[in-house]
Structure formats: C-alpha cells, structure tokens
Amino acid sequence: LLARVHSSTLVGIQPVPVQVQVHLTPGLPSISVVGLPQSAVREGKDRVRAALQQTGIALPAQRVTVNLAPADVRKEGSGFDLPVAVGLAICSLGLPPECLEATAFLGELGLDGELRPVRGALAVARGCREVGMQTLIVPEGNGREAAAADPTLQVLTAGSLRQVVQHLQGRARLTRAAPPDRDAGASALLGAGCFSEVRGQEGAKRALEVAAAGGHNLALIGPPGTGKTMLARRFPAILPPLGQEEALEVTTIHSVTGLLPDDAGVVRARPFRAPHHTTSRAGMVGGGTPVRPGEISLAHRGVLFLDELPEFRRGVLETLRQPLEAGWVSVVRARERYRFPSRFTLMTAMNPCPCGHLGDENQACTCDPGQVARYRNRVSGPLWDRVDLHVEVCSPSVEVLRGTGTGEASGAIRQRVMEARERQSNRLGPGRVNGEMAPGEVDASVPLGQAGEALLRRSAVSLGLSARAIHRVLKVARTIADLEGSGSVRRDHLAEAIQYRVLDRSGGEGAA
Ligand SMILES: [Zn+2]
C-alpha cells in the first residue's frame, strides 16, 4: 500500500518540490522517516502520531516508512507534519489516491491536531504553481501570504488536521484564502514617520532626497543627538512604493526568516534594517542552521542603516562590498551554495571624531588629530568608495527648534523622487537608477559644459578627489539635474554634488 502526497521544502529561499511517499510493510508497528530529514522533520513524527490520535484516526498496525523524495535534498522545517499526517490518514482510512491529485500540503501540527503556520509559505506557494499544482492547503495563519503567489493557485486554509481529512473525504469544504489587497501600499508607508516632523536640517533632508532619487548610498556625519537616526528612519517613506514583484521578493525573504507576522499577507513598506554594531558576519550576510538570509537581504529593496559605523567589525563591513556591487550575496555552507538577493541602499551614520564634537559649535572637541584619523580609518577605503554622498548633520539652531513651522511632508518629496526616477528609467532602462551606472554610462549620460569641466578639474585637485570619487560626483550631479527635470548637467548641479564629498576633503587635509 502506498500514498503519495505533494509538498515542498526550501533550500535557502528557493522552493524544491518534495513528494512524501508512505509505504506499509509487515512488521511491528513503527514509523520511520527517510530522505535526509533534518531535526525538525524527524521530531514531527511524534506530533503527527499524537495529532492523528486526537483526530480519531488509528495508525496502521504495520511498519510505516515515510520517504521524502528526492533523497539528496535536505528537508528542513516543521511544514512536513501535515503532508505526512495526510499520507498516513489516506492509508488508514483507505481513501482513493485521486483525492490528492494536483494538491500540495504544508503545515505544522500541534499534539492536539491543530494546524500552525510555518515559515516560507509564499515561496512554497510559488514553487507549487511552477510544478503545476492547482491547490495548496495551508494553516489559517499562512493563507493570505500563500494566496499572494498566483491567482491561478487555489489556496485553501484549515484550522486542524480533522478539517483537512473531512475535506479529502468530501464531507466538508475548506475555505479559499483571499489574496491580500494590492493597493494597501500607500497606507503602509505612513508608519515610518513623516519628514514634516523634522525641524530644520534642510541640507540633510535635501541630501536624502537626492539619495532616494538616484539610488545613492549615503553617510550622515555629525555630533551625537543631532537626529541622524530620526532622519534615517524617515528615508524609506520618500522612496517609491514597492512594486508587486518587489513586494513578493521582500515578503519571501521575511517569511523564510520568520519575521512575517501570522496572517500578514504581503510586506508593502520598504524594509528598514538597523543591525547593531555587534552583528556577526552570519547575521549580516546570512548563515546559520538551516541557512537563513542575513540583514543585507532583509534590507533588500529597502534600507540598511549602520549607525556608529566605525564600531562595526572591519571583517563584517568588508563582507558588504561584493553584495553592494552585485545586488545579491552568496553564502557557502557544507558544500552547498545559497544565493540571496541584497539590493539595498546603504545608509551609515557616524560621529565626526571619537568624542563626537569635532566641528560642533556648541561644544569643543577633545580629540587630537591622530585619534580622529584612527577613528575614521576603522572604516575601509573600499567601503567608503561605495558611498556617494557624505552629509554633515549639525545641531539645529534654537530658533529652528522653537519655531512652529513644519517642514515639507514625505509624500511631496516622494513625488519628486518618483518623477526623477522616471527620467532615469527612460535614459538607462526600466527600473535603473543613476547610482547603478557603470563608468562608461557615466561618461555618456553626464555631458559637462566647459564651465563644468573646469570646475571638476579644479575641485579634483583642491579636494584630492580620486578617479572613483569623481565618478560618484558625476552620478550625483546627474541625479540633481534629474530632480530638476534638466536634460543637461549644469555647473550648479555639479557644485552641489561636489559639496557631498566632505570626507574626501577632510581626508585630503589630514594627508597634507
Ligand atoms: Zn573629538
């Protein structure tokens, strides 16, 4: 006797179809699970046994072998409880195998037979669609998420094993999950806080707008308590809303990592991740058992904010270089390679010196030049090379703090950002931004007049700008022109872009 039940496991964030095959052979009653089950799958045996008992289904009085095929893929997670229980129930109740046709199962069982949500339901649902499944049965808490995968996949939700069995017997129908609302995007942004609440800081706000418009990485430099974090947290709200495909990518990563709340449906707000400076390499780029995405992938399509940048371990910061260039990261573990997307805006914040008050009008700095240089050198040059804008954040004046006037709202800024991005798409291709331009594209897209060329040459000498820094300046100048709707890059666009190289400037002085 044999039952075949469709399900799926995840390798990283990739779904891999799995067939649960139940064999009965003469012998003492027992259950064994084969086919590279990892610990959570092996432990599921006891949950399945108890849940079947609670549902009033007797286990076959024979030797049961559950084979998870293909045998060479590790099976992770508790989601196999339901397909294994269904396979045993089919054998025990003698239901026709046709009731399982083109239907996949996913879910963890409680000892009482209740179904509990699992990680990665969206990824599994997309995988099911790809291999031609028509129906996926999941726990109630996973319904909305799974239903977002594809409108042609029927997602049914169940609260317990009993309900699933009654559905298969044709005695009751499970309810179909409704896909989450696609238009919920705008309201999701409201939680981030609005720029109108930030008083003063006009220069910093302008720089954030430029960064959002061109997809530029950015460093905020200023004394403690000047609101660097407050500014950073509001940044996602001036980025364009997530597109449908982007939202599914983000949801998949958050779901696999266990960060998606039950019944959440789809993530609509751009992620903002602010890992602590003690974060390990695995926490940053991905790792663990089973292998999960790290902070840079949780920040995919959003913002990775590194506060107190010089406090991060150098080795951890070095791991950011490749994903910053490529937009994805590769994690190798036990001869297996996992690939996670990581296209994010890097935003960093740091004090100007160890005591924090270099250049502060309100308090004197107590550091000597050697201490300042050592502090800044903790961040490697190659990482700095990937930051387009350096922004000085100063303490707002008393007049500004006491004023009642509110700044511009995030929505208005976002509108300009989206218009500037549209111009970039038209020039560079759909979805591309100036921050991603290759050196050859920079030369073609940023024609400078004579005045511009002269300014650039003078600045390169006086500020000691490297060839890479000059490319950054040109990309940022292009974005400033795009924000204004200007086809050509003028001298004043270039001048603004040059003043975003604060650290090159002070680095030059230090070296002199
Ligand atoms: Zn200092």
Side-chain angles (χ1 to χ4, degrees):
L1 201 58
L2 178 76
R4 288 193 188 87
V5 188
H6 301 289
S7 190
S8 177
T9 191
L10 294 174
V11 175
I13 60 171
Q14 293 302 323
V16 176
V18 171
Q19 201 178 69
V20 177
Q21 303 166 340
V22 181
H23 300 257
L24 300 184
T25 45
L28 289 174
S30 68
I31 303 178
S32 55
V33 182
V34 298
L36 277 186
Q38 302 302 294
S39 59
V41 182
R42 286 195 301 270
E43 287 157 13
K45 218 165 59 174
D46 298 324
R47 293 191 294 267
V48 167
R49 204 193 303 261
L52 283 167
Q53 216 157 35
Q54 286 295 315
T55 311
I57 297 170
L59 276 170
Q62 298 174 68
R63 244 185 87 148
V64 180
T65 305
V66 177
N67 180 36
L68 307 173
D72 59 341
V73 177
R74 277 172 219 273
K75 317 301 185 307
E76 310 272 12
S78 49
F80 287 104
D81 290 4
L82 180 61
V84 170
V86 164
L88 289 167
I90 292 284
C91 296
S92 184
L93 300 170
L95 291 176
E98 297 89 74
C99 69
L100 299 175
E101 211 163 294
T103 301
F105 298 81
L106 179 76
E108 177 181 325
L109 284 168
L111 297 176
D112 52 2
E114 299 291 300
L115 268 174
R116 294 177 185 162
V118 295
R119 297 173 173 198
L122 173 58
V124 166
R126 296 186 103 183
C128 285
R129 194 66 207 106
E130 276 166 25
V131 296
M133 293 291 139
Q134 283 156 19
T135 304
L136 172 65
I137 297 180
V138 297
E140 277 158 1
N142 288 133
R144 273 157 54 82
E145 179 192 343
D150 191 312
T152 63
L153 178 71
Q154 172 177 246
V155 174
L156 304 177
T157 63
S160 64
L161 177 60
R162 184 185 309 275
Q163 289 177 6
V164 176
V165 171
Q166 286 177 345
H167 174 85
L168 294 174
Q169 289 172 318
R171 287 163 56 197
R173 301 296 301 170
L174 293 174
T175 41
R176 182 167 183 173
D181 184 6
R182 286 193 182 209
D183 301 324
S187 59
L189 292 171
L190 294 176
C194 185
F195 269 102
S196 62
E197 299 155 7
V198 182
R199 285 186 184 152
Q201 308 289 16
E202 296 309 321
K205 280 193 259 185
R206 165 70 180 173
L208 291 175
E209 180 175 336
V210 173
H216 300 291
N217 300 320
L218 175 139
L220 299 167
I221 306 119
T226 45
K228 299 189 290 280
T229 305
M230 185 175 71
L231 283 163
R233 285 199 179 277
R234 282 161 176 73
F235 184 71
I238 62 169
L239 292 169
L242 286 173
Q244 176 66 7
E245 191 52 38
E246 290 177 323
L248 294 183
E249 290 171 16
V250 172
T251 304
T252 296
I253 296 166
H254 285 242
S255 171
V256 167
T257 320
L259 292 178
L260 195 70
D262 289 350
D263 220 14
V266 169
V267 176
R268 295 293 180 187
R270 289 202 182 256
F272 179 88
R273 301 294 301 179
H276 191 255
H277 60 72
T278 54
T279 300
S280 68
R281 189 191 169 99
M284 192 65 91
V285 297
T289 311
V291 174
R292 303 260 193 241
E295 289 291 340
I296 62 170
S297 296
L298 290 167
H300 180 59
R301 303 286 179 203
V303 179
L304 181 72
F305 179 54
L306 303 183
D307 200 2
E308 310 283 2
L309 183 67
E311 305 295 327
F312 280 80
R313 283 175 231 164
R314 207 182 163 101
V316 173
L317 292 183
E318 288 299 304
T319 60
L320 298 178
R321 285 166 53 186
Q322 181 266 335
L324 271 170
E325 290 294 316
W328 52 267
V329 65
S330 174
V331 178
V332 180
R333 250 191 86 106
R335 298 192 307 278
E336 283 177 72
R337 185 179 289 273
Y338 301 81
R339 188 179 156 132
F340 300 124
S342 64
R343 196 167 286 289
F344 57 88
T345 297
L346 175 66
M347 186 175 288
T348 67
M350 63 188 282
N351 295 337
C353 65
C355 87
H357 296 288
L358 184 66
D360 191 349
E361 287 171 11
N362 305 325
Q363 205 170 326
C365 168
T366 57
C367 314
D368 65 50
Q371 284 174 309
V372 175
R374 273 197 302 282
Y375 178 73
R376 294 194 179 174
N377 284 338
R378 278 197 230 162
V379 182
S380 77
L383 182 64
W384 271 129
D385 271 342
R386 283 157 181 83
V387 175
D388 293 338
L389 297 104
H390 310 156
V391 184
E392 282 175 298
V393 184
C394 322
S395 319
S397 66
V398 177
E399 295 82 72
V400 167
L401 284 177
R402 294 184 59 192
T404 49
T406 56
E408 194 176 19
S410 300
I413 304 173
R414 186 169 69 234
Q415 190 57 39
R416 288 197 298 274
V417 165
M418 287 167 69
E419 285 163 16
R421 284 198 173 211
E422 176 135 11
R423 289 182 196 107
Q424 297 167 64
S425 288
N426 291 341
R427 191 171 54 240
L428 301 169
R432 292 195 66 215
V433 285
N434 293 334
E436 301 168 5
M437 280 195 288
E441 286 177 294
V442 175
D443 297 330
S445 306
V446 194
L448 295 176
Q450 255 181 354
E453 287 287 357
L455 172 64
L456 190 63
R457 225 169 302 136
R458 266 204 316 281
S459 312
V461 174
S462 64
L463 303 177
L465 299 181
S466 66
R468 278 210 174 127
I470 289 172
H471 263 138
R472 307 250 152 222
V473 165
L474 291 172
K475 289 183 198 181
V476 172
R478 180 65 262 176
T479 300
I480 293 167
D482 284 329
L483 271 169
E484 211 179 274
S486 165
S488 62
V489 176
R490 292 197 314 263
R491 190 181 182 282
D492 55 317
H493 302 144
L494 190 62
E496 183 182 346
I498 289 168
Q499 53 132 9
Y500 294 128
R501 302 303 301 183
V502 179
L503 287 185
D504 293 330
R505 205 154 54 207
S506 50
E509 279 164 16

